Amino acid sequence: MRFRGEVVRRFGLKFDDIKLDHLADIVRSRAEASGRISPAWYVERLIASPSSSDEWRVLAEQLTVNETYFFRNADSFRAFSELVLPETIGKRAETRRIRILSAGCASGDEPYSIAMTIREVLPDFEAWDISVVGVDLSPAAIRKATEGRYTAWSLRSTPEPMQRRYFRTEGREFQLLPEIQRMVRFEERNLAHEDTRSDFWRAATFDIVWCRNVMMYFTSDVSRKVVQRLEKVVVPGGFLFLGHAENLRGLSQRFHLCHSHETFYYQRRNDDSSVSTEEEEVTCVVDSIPSVVDSSTSWFEAIERASARIAALTQSSSAQHLESSEPAPPLGTTNPAHSSTAKSLEKPRISGELESVLEATRQERFADALLLLSALSRETLMEPEALLLRAILSINGGELCAAEVACTELLAIDELNAGAHYVMALCKEHEGDLSEAANCDRTAIYLDSTFAMPHLHLGLMARRSGDVAGAQHELAQALSLLEHEDSSRLLMFGGGFSRQTLLNLCRSEIRASGGRR
Ligand SMILES: C[S@@+](CC[C@H](N)C(=O)[O-])C[C@H]1O[C@@H](n2cnc3c(N)ncnc32)[C@H](O)[C@@H]1O
């Protein structure tokens, strides 16, 4: 559909095939409103005519999702008020100047929440030069933001004292006080366009950027370009908040991932020298070993036992792959249906040298694979895939220190590697640091929401610590993700267990903790 292609080109917004009817409805209704012309002629005119920019503004209102509310995802605002803002205030103590951008601000709820938080944290804010800029594609959203008038529904997450301090009730609506409105400036702006005529995207303009729940609507190409602009405009050491279901994996390595207040956000690196554009995802084949993991055993110990059995089996016969109907794809390939893992597939990343290691891993000759790996050139050994393989082979072989060293090295060059965070979680559990293990699992899940193993690990740890609700929640998540987990990744991270064994394990653990499966 030509119209869909033009929407991508102009606004970066992606519409899957199931949304085609929605697009057709918009075209029909706009053709009707434009003098009852035919939809085909409407699209023709829209694309051909240089004077169609007003019509595109109308379309922007209809094509965007403007859902938002004050203090959305309270955890982000806690991290902002308790950590990010104090650090920024400290850094700007001399100039007393702070610049904040809310990109994709919708009706203004987000930038106004930022302004209110600043008022709360910085009592002498009047002595500071603070600017909060909200930009959005939709003219209607910007109009509403400028009016500053909201319903109770928009304030559903706003703390009572803030409601009283910063809003005036007018009938059933809430009007923001001018003192907050004055702190925020709004402008209509298309993030998908570079806009070289203005200096909006000038380097190091903003101390903090919020761009939440916006990139999820963009094509991956446009997301990449927008992130490149954000890399540029955020000052070194400055911060970036994304929506809780969004991450920079496969998009940028120029930010450091921060995890606090049960949320994730990013800090612009001061130094880009360690930046790698590579990404992870590895594969191997491991046989199904029927095994009972009792809840007193740590997951690491269970993996160790399964791996030992694999080694024994491999010595006596060449192992049969339980999942022979799903032949192991080459290292670095994965199920393209999983968009987040598909991000890592943009270029083949397996050097010839690594192939032999991979082949030994496929045959479950883990010790051989490790030997082969250690014989590789230093350069190959430092490739992200080699480091991840080393971490996994080491953990399967019970070599905790080596696994942790490999993970640390990998995370130094690719901090957004979900697999490395998961293997690190296993290491931390074994060291007895359950809280850090859980943090590592949560980071892996944040970076790849389709990754089943960290949920399973969290569930097993929760069960062992007596957290029944937590265990049931995580195990249920693991169960549903395992059904569709990419087979190569499952075999790589499944610790020597087949899909069926892992599914059975989830079910029996859920039952044992009082749930029904
Ligand atoms: C779901 S809202 C998110 C609002 C707010 N950031 C939040 O998290 O609550 C997404 C916003 O992104 C805006 N948007 C979409 N594409 C855009 C583009 N190309 N340029 C600027 N804004 C865009 C939409 O108009 C919409 O208001």
Side-chain angles (χ1 to χ4, degrees):
M1 191 185 181
R2 251 181 106 198
F3 180 66
R4 175 166 67 171
E6 195 59 20
V7 169
V8 171
R9 203 182 66 73
R10 288 206 171 230
F11 299 150
L13 298 171
K14 65 168 183 253
F15 287 90
D16 298 335
D17 287 354
I18 50 163
K19 299 268 181 64
L20 279 177
D21 284 350
H22 172 60
L23 288 187
D25 285 346
I26 291 177
V27 167
R28 256 194 306 275
S29 90
R30 288 309 305 158
E32 182 76 19
S34 312
R36 300 195 170 178
I37 55 177
S38 77
W41 177 232
Y42 168 79
V43 173
E44 192 63 41
R45 239 178 45 180
L46 183 72
I47 294 173
S49 164
S51 62
S52 56
S53 58
D54 282 347
E55 183 60 21
W56 276 110
R57 290 179 70 233
V58 175
L59 285 168
E61 297 185 359
Q62 303 200 0
L63 291 164
T64 50
V65 177
N66 308 123
E67 165 63 17
T68 186
Y69 51 92
F70 283 85
F71 296 98
R72 181 180 195 174
N73 300 131
D75 295 338
S76 303
F77 281 94
R78 282 199 306 121
F80 175 60
S81 78
E82 290 172 22
L83 234 148
V84 168
L85 197 49
E87 183 175 327
T88 310
I89 290 168
K91 278 197 275 196
R92 296 280 173 252
E94 224 165 87
T95 59
R96 297 200 150 214
R97 190 167 187 264
I98 294 177
R99 297 281 173 268
I100 299 177
L101 169 66
S102 164
C105 65
S107 46
D109 312 35
E110 179 178 276
Y112 284 138
S113 305
I114 294 168
M116 287 182 230
T117 309
I118 294 172
R119 288 287 291 252
E120 297 287 311
V121 171
L122 196 59
D124 65 336
F125 81 97
E126 269 162 350
W128 285 67
D129 170 10
I130 291 181
S131 108
V132 182
V133 183
V135 304
D136 201 281
L137 181 66
S138 161
I142 293 295
R143 267 196 310 276
K144 185 165 181 346
T146 313
E147 281 165 15
R149 205 179 176 79
Y150 299 91
T151 61
W153 184 240
S154 297
L155 272 63
R156 60 192 181 273
S157 283
T158 307
E160 227 4 86
M162 295 255 217
Q163 278 191 29
R164 279 197 304 273
R165 258 200 300 281
Y166 300 119
F167 291 89
R168 194 177 56 236
T169 5
E170 288 183 0
R172 299 177 69 171
E173 294 196 316
F174 294 80
Q175 176 66 47
L176 256 173
L177 296 189
E179 62 198 72
I180 295 297
Q181 283 192 273
R182 273 197 301 271
M183 290 175 71
V184 186
R185 178 170 66 78
F186 291 100
E187 80 182 52
E188 216 178 292
R189 175 169 288 281
N190 181 359
L191 296 171
H193 269 202
E194 173 78 57
D195 187 8
T196 44
R197 280 174 307 174
S198 90
D199 61 358
F200 186 84
W201 296 111
R202 207 182 46 219
T205 307
F206 297 104
D207 298 289
I208 303 163
V209 171
W210 296 64
C211 186
R212 301 189 307 161
N213 309 300
V214 181
M215 277 189 291
M216 59 204 275
Y217 298 105
F218 290 160
T219 62
S220 51
D221 271 1
V222 172
S223 294
R224 193 161 290 114
K225 286 190 184 121
V226 171
V227 168
Q228 277 167 8
R229 276 173 219 136
L230 298 182
E231 283 171 351
K232 194 170 132 199
V233 292
V234 177
V235 297
F239 293 90
L240 170 66
F241 285 88
L242 298 181
H244 72 116
E246 297 167 321
N247 66 60
L248 289 182
R249 189 168 155 240
L251 293 174
S252 172
Q253 298 266 16
R254 295 202 150 76
F255 290 89
H256 161 64
L257 178 63
C258 307
H259 183 184
S260 74
H261 300 77
E262 292 171 40
T263 191
F264 294 91
Y265 51 97
Y266 296 84
Q267 184 163 29
R268 180 74 170 86
R269 291 179 198 280
N270 288 314
D271 162 26
D272 289 338
S273 59
S274 66
V275 165
S276 148
T277 50
E278 299 286 316
E279 268 216 87
E280 106 260 53
E281 243 33 80
V282 194
T283 204
C284 83
V285 169
V286 177
D287 199 3
S288 154
I289 304 295
S291 171
V292 178
V293 182
D294 71 70
S295 56
S296 64
T297 313
S298 81
W299 183 231
F300 169 76
E301 284 160 347
I303 290 173
E304 210 178 8
R305 270 191 227 156
S307 305
R309 285 205 235 174
I310 289 168
L313 277 177
T314 323
Q315 275 156 21
S316 55
S317 68
S318 132
Q320 289 264 315
H321 298 156
L322 185 90
E323 297 193 322
S324 52
S325 57
E326 296 175 85
L331 187 68
T333 61
T334 183
N335 181 353
H338 297 158
S339 59
S340 51
T341 42
K343 277 188 214 159
S344 62
L345 299 180
E346 273 129 28
K347 45 183 165 151
R349 289 157 301 129
I350 298 311
S351 67
E353 276 192 289
L354 268 179
E355 275 297 351
S356 56
V357 182
L358 181 65
E359 192 47 39
T361 313
R362 278 192 189 119
Q363 295 168 8
E364 294 106 26
R365 293 185 290 114
F366 297 140
D368 288 353
L370 258 179
L371 269 177
L372 285 167
L373 195 65
S374 56
L376 296 180
S377 66
R378 167 126 197 97
E379 205 186 10
T380 309
L381 272 177
M382 291 314 289
E383 285 178 13
E385 300 74 32
L387 287 168
L388 185 58
L389 260 174
R390 180 142 62 88
I392 288 165
L393 291 169
S394 301
I395 201 109
N396 284 351
E399 293 181 34
L400 260 296
C401 279
E404 192 163 341
V405 167
C407 282
T408 307
E409 285 175 355
L410 175 48
L411 291 172
I413 53 175
D414 179 9
E415 199 186 356
L416 307 185
N417 190 312
H421 285 283
Y422 169 64
V423 177
M424 194 60 118
L426 301 181
C427 297
K428 293 294 170 195
E429 181 208 1
H430 191 69
E431 284 165 19
D433 190 346
L434 299 188
S435 139
E436 190 50 29
N439 277 340
C440 292
D441 278 326
R442 288 200 187 96
T443 306
I445 292 166
Y446 163 70
L447 292 171
D448 189 341
S449 57
T450 66
F451 197 0
M453 293 309 296
H455 284 288
L456 176 56
H457 187 221
L458 275 175
L460 294 174
M461 286 198 300
R463 176 143 151 64
R464 290 174 69 222
S465 68
D467 172 8
V468 173
Q472 289 187 357
H473 173 74
E474 294 299 341
L475 291 165
Q477 296 267 56
L479 192 62
S480 86
L481 289 172
L482 275 169
E483 304 261 10
H484 310 283
E485 178 65 287
D486 179 68
S487 62
S488 59
R489 191 163 61 166
L490 182 66
L491 295 165
M492 188 55 126
F493 294 101
F497 298 99
S498 71
R499 185 190 307 272
Q500 198 50 52
T501 306
L502 293 169
L503 286 169
N504 290 343
L505 172 65
C506 287
R507 289 194 188 101
S508 69
E509 289 288 314
I510 291 173
R511 270 197 307 273
S513 59
R516 286 196 303 154
R517 282 285 166 174

